[in-house]
Amino acid sequence: MLDFVIKRFLQVIVVVFLALTVVFFLIRLAGDPTTLFLPPDAPREQIEEYRELLGYNRPLYVQYGDFMYNAIQGDFGESLRSQEDALGIVLDRLPATFQLAITSLILALFIAIPLGVLSAYKRNTVFDRIGVGLTVVGQAVPSFWLGLILIFLFAAQLQLLPSGGGGTPVHMILPTLTLAAYSVARFTRFTRSAMLDVLQKDYIRTAKASGVPTMRLIMRYALRNSLIPIITLVALDLGVLLGGAVITEAVFSWPGVGRLLWQSLMNRDFPIVLAGVFIIALIYAIINFVADILYAYVNPQIRVK
Amino acid sequence: MASSLPQGEQALGSVLKSKQKTKIGEFFSNLSRSWTGMLGFGIIMLLLFLSIFGPWITPYDPMHAEFSKGLLPPLTDGHLLGTDHLGRDIFSRIIMGARVSVIIGIATACIAGVIGTIVGIIAGYFRGWIDIVLMRLVDVQLSFPFIVLVLVINAIIGAGLRNIIISLAIGGWVIFARVIRSEVLALREKEFITSSIATGVSRLQILVKHILPNLFTPIIILASLQIGTYIIAEASISFLGFGVQPPTPAWGNMLNEGRDYIFSSWWLVTFPGIAIVITALGVNLFGDWLRDTLDPELKGE
Amino acid sequence: MSDAILKIKNLKIEFKSGKETVQPIRGVNFELKKGETLGVVGESGSGKSVTSLAIMGLLPERTSKIVDGEINFKGNDITNLKEKQYRKIRGNEISMIFQEPMTSLNPVFTIGQQLSEPLRQHRNMSKKEIEKAVINVLNQVGIPRAEQIINEYPHQLSGGMRQRVMISLALLCEPDLMIADEPTTALDVTIQAQILELMKNIKQENDMSLLLITHDLGVVAEMCDRVVVMYAGEIVEVAEINELFNEPLHPYTRGLIDSMPTQNTRKERLYSIRGQVPRPNEITKGCVFANRCPLAFSKCFEETPPVFARDDHLSKCWLQNTKEGEVV
C-alpha cells in the first residue's frame, strides 16, 4: 500500500512538472512578454531595457531553469496587472472553486447513483428508456449553454435568483445546478451500466439463493460491487467536471480559479496563467490520487493481498 | 494450373465487388433497424448539406448588419428566428455556423486521429522504452482537463479557425494513441500475425498489410464518438471569446455575443444553443450506433 | 408416496427472447424421496440447470415463465408463491450449490459476511450466535482455522476451499433439500473426490435430501440412489442406480454409459453419441432423440413415445428391450 501511495505521488509531481513546462514554452513561443507591459509605440531602447530588467534577454533554457527554480518555491512571479504575487491571487480564488466543484459533485452523485440504480433495476421499462434517453440528450448539452438558459429562466424571467456573482448561498444555486447537470448524465450512465453488469453476476444469484430480499440485494450487494467501476469512471470524469467548472465560473462570474484563469488569458497575464495551470494540474492529480486510494479501499482484491 | 490463376483472380474480383455492394446495402439495412442510428445519420446528412450548400439557402446575408433592424424577435419581418443586436438574421447565421462546426469536427478528428494512430502504432508495435515514454506522456496529458488544456493553448497561440483546430488536435490525439495502442497490442497476439512473423514476413509488410487494415474500424468508431466532443469544446471556447472570432458566424461566438442581451432578447442565446445540442446529439447517436454495429464487444463500455 | 419431499409434475417452462418463445422444459415429472440422493443427468442443453433454477424460483423473471405443471415441495405447490414467501424458502428449506465456486462468492465481502446472510434472513439470532454458527459449519465442511477464514475474502482462498464455503453456505439453515448443480465440474480431479465425499457425509449427518445435477455418470454412480436422465427438456429414463447401469432401457442412457471412460480397460476408441442435443426451437414431432438414435425406426420419427413403466423403472422409448430390439 505504501509503495502504491509513493508511486502515485511521484506521478502527481511528474504531471505538474510537465504541465508547467509545456505552458512555459508555449507562452515564450507565442511572443515576447515585454511588449505587454509597454505601449505599442514604445521606443526600442525602452523595450531592450525592460527585457534586460525582467531577464527576457537571457537564453530560453536559463529562463526556464530560473522559472522552475522559483516555481518549486511557490514563486510564479507577480501579476502583470496588479503586481501582486501570482500564486497568492490564485490561492485566494481556490476556496470558491472548491465550493462550487464539491457541491456540484455531491449533488450529481446524489442524483445520478439512485437514478442509475433504478434504471438498471427496471431495465427496458418505460422508466429506464426515458432515463437513458435523457442521459443521451444530456450529454449533448454544453454546460455553458445550460447556464445561459438557467439564467434566462430564473434570473431574467422569474427573477428568483441572481444571474451571477458570488458570496451568498443564493448565488451558488444556478452555477451548482449547471455544473451538476453536466455530470449527472454521464454518472447515471456509468452507474446503470455498472449495475447491469453486476446484477448478472453469479454471486448475485448466490445471494438470491440465500434468501436475500431484493432491496438489500441491490443496495448492499450489487451497489457495493458496482462502486468499484463507478469510482474509476467518475474519477476519470472529474477532469470534465473541473473543465466544466472553469466554463461555469465564466458564465456566472463566479469568483473562482476558472474565471481568474479565463480573465488572465484574456489579459495575457501569464504569471497568473502559469500559477493557475499549476493549481489545476495539482488539484486534478490529487483528486485522481484520492480516487485511487478509494478504489483500493472498496476493492479487497487490491487492499488485502 | 497457370492459366486458371487469372480466372481465379477475376472471380475473386467480382466477388469483392458484389461484396462491396452488399456492404452498402448492409449498412442501410442495419441502420434502418435502429431509429436512433437513423436519427443520427439524418442529422449528420442535414449538417453536411447545410455546410456545403449553406450560402445558397440562407434567406439573408449572414454578415449583413442593419442596425435599424436590430433585436427583432422571431417571426417578424421575415426573420424566422429573429435578428441579433446588429440586425443580422439569426437563421442565416445558424446555417452558416453549421459549416464551422462541421469543418472543426472533421478536421480535428482527422489530425488528432492521424497523430494518435501513428503514435499508437509506434508504441504498440515496437513496445520497449519508446512505448513506455509515449504512454507516460499520454497519461500525463490525460490527467489534465481537456477543455482547460485546449483553452490555454488556444489563448496562447491565438484565436481563429486554424488555431482552434490545432488546439483541439493537440488536446485530442492522446485518446486515439491510447486506444490504437491497445488495439495493436491485441492484434500482435493474433495468430495470423504470429504466423506471418514465423514465415519471415518483414515488419513493415506486417504493419501495412495486416495491422493497418484492422485498425480502420476502431479509428472510425473513435473518431465518430469524438467529433461531438470537439464541436462542443469549440463552441465553449468560442463562447469564452477565443476560438472562432466574429464576424465569422459560429454557434459559440453567437452565444457569446447574445449573452449581453439575455434579459431582453432570449432568442439570441436560445437558437444557436439548440443547434449545438441537435448537432452533438446527432453525432453521438450515430457514433453509438456505429460502435454497437461494428464492434459489439465495446457495447455498454 | 407420501414420503416424497419434492414432486415435479408435468413442468413446462417457456423462454422468451424478442418475439420468439421456446420451451426448454417440456413436461418434466419426477420426485425426490426424503433422505434420498437423486441424480439428474444429461448433456448441456438438456434442461437440467433450468429445472433446478425453477425449483429455487430463480428463473429470470422477465424472460422466462412456468407455463404449466407444478413443483410440489413438502405438500405445497411453490410455483405460484409470491417473491416474499419464496424468499423464506430459499437458503432456508431449499438451498443450492452452484457450479462455479470462483465466481459464486462476492469478491467485496468477507467469507463471514456472506455466510451470515442466510442466518440473518431466516433465523432470529444475535451477531455473536451467528458467528458461532458460521464457524461451526465451516468446521463441519473441513475448513481449517475457521476463525480466521471468516475475516478473509474469496480471492484469498483456493477453488476447493471456496466450494467448501459454498457448501457451508447451503448448509447453514439446515435445509430439507439441497440442490447441487455440477458442484465439482470446475474443480481439479483430486479435489472433486474430496468434495463429493464431504457432500455424502454431510447429507447423512444432516438428514437432507440431495438433488445432484451433473453430466458426469461417474459422479452419479458414486453418489446417487436413483437417477433421472434428461434429454432436450424431457425425461427419458428414471431408474434406481444399479438398475440403470445394469439394464439401461433408453438408447440415450446406453450411449451415455458407453461413452464413459473406464478405469481399467483401454478401449480402442471411446464411444460417442453422434450429433448434438437439438435446440428447443428445432424440436418437431416424434421422439426427441430419434435423430441421434442408433436404433431409431420410422415410428420414432412419427410419434412421441409415452412413458413405459417397469416397476419403478421408467423409460420413454418405443423399444422396450433395446438389447433384443423388441418393439412395444
Side-chain angles (χ1 to χ4, degrees):
Chain A
M1 194 71 195
L2 192 69
D3 279 7
F4 173 75
V5 172
I6 292 171
K7 210 176 141 196
R8 288 306 322 242
F9 183 71
L10 287 176
Q11 214 165 327
V12 170
I13 294 176
V14 174
V15 168
V16 173
F17 174 78
L18 279 175
L20 284 179
T21 305
V22 170
V23 177
F24 174 86
F25 281 107
L26 266 179
I27 290 173
R28 286 298 185 276
L29 288 177
D32 190 338
T34 18
T35 50
L36 297 168
F37 299 91
L38 302 167
D41 54 350
R44 253 196 100 87
E45 303 85 64
Q46 199 183 352
I47 294 176
E48 286 305 319
E49 194 185 317
Y50 254 84
R51 280 171 63 98
E52 189 144 346
L53 188 72
L54 294 165
Y56 290 135
N57 58 344
R58 296 171 299 164
L60 202 54
Y61 65 90
V62 176
Q63 290 184 44
Y64 171 69
D66 198 37
F67 162 73
M68 274 297 169
Y69 179 74
N70 289 328
I72 289 167
Q73 296 165 329
D75 178 11
F76 287 85
E78 288 171 354
S79 160
L80 303 184
R81 293 215 135 192
S82 65
Q83 268 72 47
E84 285 170 65
D85 176 45
L87 188 64
I89 296 176
V90 174
L91 288 177
D92 279 347
R93 302 288 194 94
L94 198 53
T97 296
F98 268 135
Q99 201 182 9
L100 177 64
I102 290 173
T103 329
S104 306
L105 176 65
I106 292 172
L107 182 66
L109 289 174
F110 264 92
I111 298 171
I113 290 183
L115 221 59
V117 168
L118 210 60
S119 203
Y121 176 59
K122 294 187 171 283
R123 69 180 172 287
N124 293 334
T125 59
V126 178
F127 175 86
D128 180 35
R129 271 155 209 254
I130 291 174
V132 170
L134 281 179
T135 60
V136 172
V137 175
Q139 276 175 299
V141 178
S143 62
F144 71 91
W145 185 63
L146 182 69
L148 290 179
I149 293 301
L150 287 178
I151 289 175
F152 168 69
L153 286 177
F154 291 98
Q157 291 301 114
L158 301 171
Q159 304 197 330
L160 284 174
L161 297 165
S163 67
T168 69
V170 184
H171 284 96
M172 270 191 75
I173 297 175
L174 289 185
T176 307
L177 278 179
T178 304
L179 193 51
Y182 192 45
S183 298
V184 162
R186 277 187 314 279
F187 291 179
T188 307
R189 197 166 170 171
F190 298 160
T191 308
R192 179 176 177 275
S193 68
M195 279 297 278
L196 280 182
D197 191 43
V198 167
L199 281 174
Q200 51 156 354
K201 286 278 176 15
D202 286 350
Y203 50 76
I204 294 299
R205 190 182 56 183
T206 307
K208 251 190 206 165
S210 302
V212 179
T214 313
M215 234 10 220
R216 185 172 163 81
L217 194 73
I218 288 176
M219 297 316 288
R220 180 169 161 84
Y221 286 86
L223 186 56
R224 179 66 194 276
N225 291 102
S226 308
L227 275 184
I228 297 173
I230 291 172
I231 287 176
T232 316
L233 290 168
V234 167
L236 281 175
D237 209 58
L238 286 179
V240 179
L241 184 91
L242 216 55
V246 171
I247 291 164
T248 308
E249 286 181 6
V251 174
F252 290 99
S253 310
W254 182 258
V257 177
R259 179 158 172 268
L260 178 70
L261 182 69
W262 172 53
Q263 286 171 329
S264 308
L265 285 167
M266 289 287 216
N267 302 330
R268 303 186 86 73
D269 194 343
F270 290 124
I272 293 189
V273 170
L274 280 164
V277 166
F278 168 72
I279 289 295
I280 288 175
L282 194 66
I283 292 173
Y284 191 45
I286 290 172
I287 290 173
N288 273 303
F289 179 62
V290 172
D292 272 348
I293 290 172
L294 212 62
Y295 176 79
Y297 176 75
V298 295
N299 191 353
Q301 285 172 29
I302 293 182
R303 178 163 40 108
V304 189
K305 285 253 166 73
Chain B
M1 190 70 201
S3 63
S4 74
L5 203 73
Q7 254 184 346
E9 250 172 22
Q10 228 171 18
L12 197 72
S14 69
V15 166
L16 279 179
K17 235 182 207 166
S18 69
K19 212 176 172 185
Q20 221 126 51
K21 239 184 220 163
T22 54
K23 257 196 173 161
I24 294 171
E26 204 186 324
F27 173 84
F28 280 107
S29 84
N30 266 331
L31 192 62
S32 68
R33 254 176 274 143
S34 153
W35 70 268
T36 51
M38 292 254 277
L39 184 62
F41 186 71
I43 292 171
I44 290 173
M45 284 298 122
L46 178 69
L47 277 171
L48 288 176
F49 176 80
L50 291 182
S51 59
I52 295 167
F53 299 105
W56 290 281
I57 44 178
T58 51
Y60 293 88
D61 177 357
M63 313 284 243
H64 178 69
E66 203 173 334
F67 293 98
S68 60
K69 286 192 168 183
L71 299 176
L72 289 178
L75 299 173
T76 38
D77 265 9
H79 293 284
L80 186 63
L81 303 179
T83 61
D84 67 5
H85 56 296
L86 300 178
R88 295 174 296 194
D89 181 51
I90 291 182
F91 183 58
S92 305
R93 288 180 70 76
I94 285 179
I95 289 175
M96 287 311 290
R99 182 179 274 189
V100 170
S101 288
V102 166
I103 290 173
I104 285 170
I106 293 175
T108 308
C110 288
I111 299 170
V114 168
I115 298 172
T117 303
I118 292 171
V119 172
I121 288 175
I122 291 172
Y125 194 72
F126 296 103
R127 309 294 325 265
W129 63 268
I130 193 160
D131 179 30
I132 295 170
V133 169
L134 287 173
M135 283 307 115
R136 280 287 95 163
L137 210 68
V138 167
D139 282 344
V140 167
Q141 188 177 323
L142 278 176
S143 59
F144 198 81
F146 172 75
I147 188 84
V148 181
L149 182 72
V150 179
L151 174 68
V152 170
I153 293 174
N154 190 242
I156 294 173
I157 67 174
L161 188 66
R162 193 197 61 199
N163 282 352
I164 184 71
I165 291 172
I166 293 173
S167 312
L168 285 166
I170 295 175
W173 67 276
V174 280
I175 293 192
F176 284 90
R178 181 177 265 189
V179 172
I180 294 307
R181 171 182 172 269
S182 63
E183 287 288 332
V184 173
L185 283 184
L187 276 172
R188 269 173 63 106
E189 304 305 317
K190 290 264 166 69
E191 269 167 34
F192 66 90
I193 304 278
T194 331
S195 63
S196 303
I197 295 171
T199 52
V201 181
S202 80
R203 275 190 158 192
L204 195 68
Q205 267 182 314
I206 290 173
L207 206 60
V208 174
K209 277 197 172 160
H210 296 297
I211 294 198
L212 270 182
N214 282 296
L215 292 176
F216 192 66
T217 307
I219 293 172
I220 290 293
I221 293 173
L222 195 59
S224 69
L225 288 170
Q226 288 295 310
I227 286 177
T229 312
Y230 300 147
I231 289 175
I232 288 185
E234 176 271 317
S236 307
I237 285 164
S238 297
F239 170 75
L240 292 177
F242 300 101
V244 181
Q245 297 294 301
T248 307
W251 298 333
N253 69 35
M254 288 173 74
L255 287 168
N256 187 25
E257 291 176 319
R259 194 185 169 182
D260 297 334
Y261 304 89
I262 194 164
F263 282 83
S264 56
S265 315
W266 56 271
W267 54 94
L268 265 62
V269 293
T270 309
F271 298 119
I274 291 174
I276 299 172
V277 173
I278 291 174
T279 303
L281 186 67
V283 176
N284 289 348
L285 285 177
F286 183 72
D288 282 345
W289 170 81
L290 207 62
R291 178 194 58 198
D292 294 350
T293 315
L294 294 180
D295 197 350
E297 274 174 45
L298 279 173
K299 205 170 185 170
E301 164 260 353
Chain C
M1 292 259 188
S2 58
D3 61 341
I5 185 162
L6 179 74
K7 279 190 209 171
I8 292 182
K9 289 182 198 158
N10 192 32
L11 186 68
K12 286 181 184 164
I13 296 172
E14 220 171 64
F15 276 15
K16 247 192 320 196
S17 72
K19 281 171 195 159
E20 242 180 297
T21 55
V22 292
Q23 267 199 21
I25 301 294
R26 293 183 314 284
V28 159
N29 288 286
F30 67 85
E31 58 180 53
L32 177 58
K33 299 189 187 90
K34 213 168 180 180
E36 182 184 45
T37 299
L38 179 70
V40 178
V41 193
E43 290 165 271
S44 45
S46 60
K48 50 195 196 328
S49 288
V50 175
T51 310
S52 65
L53 287 176
I55 298 168
M56 286 299 281
L58 289 179
L59 288 173
E61 280 166 53
R62 261 176 268 278
T63 52
S64 59
K65 204 171 132 196
I66 295 177
V67 285
D68 197 12
E70 80 175 63
I71 299 172
N72 190 308
F73 178 65
K74 295 207 287 193
N76 302 311
D77 182 12
I78 54 174
T79 47
N80 291 320
L81 280 188
K82 292 248 161 59
E83 176 63 20
K84 217 173 168 181
Q85 294 164 298
Y86 224 130
R87 205 188 302 138
K88 289 185 183 144
I89 297 178
R90 276 188 217 132
N92 187 20
E93 295 175 68
I94 309 178
S95 60
M96 187 156 175
I97 301 167
F98 296 98
Q99 179 172 359
E100 276 292 337
M102 306 310 269
T103 55
S104 293
L105 287 166
N106 196 319
V108 304
F109 292 101
T110 62
I111 302 297
Q113 283 171 321
Q114 296 184 55
L115 286 178
S116 311
E117 200 61 60
L119 293 173
R120 262 185 75 115
Q121 296 304 328
H122 304 300
R123 298 283 182 275
N124 202 358
M125 289 164 85
S126 72
K127 266 193 169 166
K128 270 255 166 69
E129 290 170 322
I130 288 180
E131 194 184 307
K132 231 175 113 185
V134 167
I135 291 174
N136 213 354
V137 174
L138 286 174
N139 284 326
Q140 205 189 337
V141 299
I143 289 186
R145 30 175 218 107
E147 291 82 358
Q148 286 155 3
I149 295 281
I150 54 170
N151 293 318
E152 292 187 359
Y153 289 92
H155 71 270
Q156 295 170 280
L157 306 181
S158 69
M161 287 290 263
R162 287 191 216 183
Q163 196 59 310
R164 280 172 200 265
V165 170
M166 288 303 291
I167 292 172
S168 61
L169 182 69
L171 209 59
L172 271 161
C173 291
E174 294 162 347
D176 302 306
L177 168 63
M178 192 186 271
I179 302 172
D181 185 359
E182 306 268 11
T184 56
T185 309
L187 302 174
D188 289 347
V189 187
T190 45
I191 313 284
Q192 280 187 14
Q194 289 174 18
I195 295 289
L196 289 177
E197 194 58 35
L198 173 69
M199 289 182 56
K200 226 177 188 174
N201 293 338
I202 275 171
K203 203 211 106 198
Q204 235 130 48
E205 281 165 33
N206 293 280
D207 192 29
M208 296 183 305
S209 311
L210 181 63
L211 186 66
L212 181 66
I213 289 156
T214 179
H215 66 281
D216 185 346
L217 277 178
V219 172
V220 169
E222 183 72 25
M223 301 283 293
C224 300
D225 304 313
R226 278 193 316 131
V227 186
V228 168
V229 182
M230 281 191 79
Y231 183 78
E234 291 178 16
I235 288 184
V236 293
E237 184 160 6
V238 181
E240 187 269 326
I241 182 81
N242 292 324
E243 193 164 327
L244 185 91
F245 280 101
N246 294 336
E247 206 183 330
L249 288 180
H250 198 282
Y252 177 61
T253 315
R254 280 187 63 86
L256 282 181
I257 293 172
D258 286 345
S259 51
M260 273 173 80
T262 46
Q263 284 163 346
N264 302 323
T265 54
R266 203 185 162 92
K267 286 182 190 168
E268 281 286 289
R269 244 181 83 195
L270 220 47
Y271 177 83
S272 65
I273 307 170
R274 63 196 157 87
Q276 286 164 349
V277 183
R279 280 195 302 256
N281 57 1
E282 295 167 355
I283 290 165
T284 49
K285 60 180 178 173
C287 172
V288 279
F289 189 56
N291 65 333
R292 297 172 75 190
C293 183
L295 304 173
F297 57 101
S298 56
K299 193 174 183 181
C300 300
F301 293 97
E302 294 301 323
E303 270 180 73
T304 309
V307 177
F308 295 97
R310 192 184 284 185
D311 300 325
D312 280 348
H313 193 157
L314 314 178
S315 66
K316 205 175 178 185
C317 177
W318 288 117
L319 289 167
Q320 273 305 301
N321 194 334
T322 38
K323 275 180 195 155
E324 291 156 25
E326 172 194 319
V327 182
V328 179

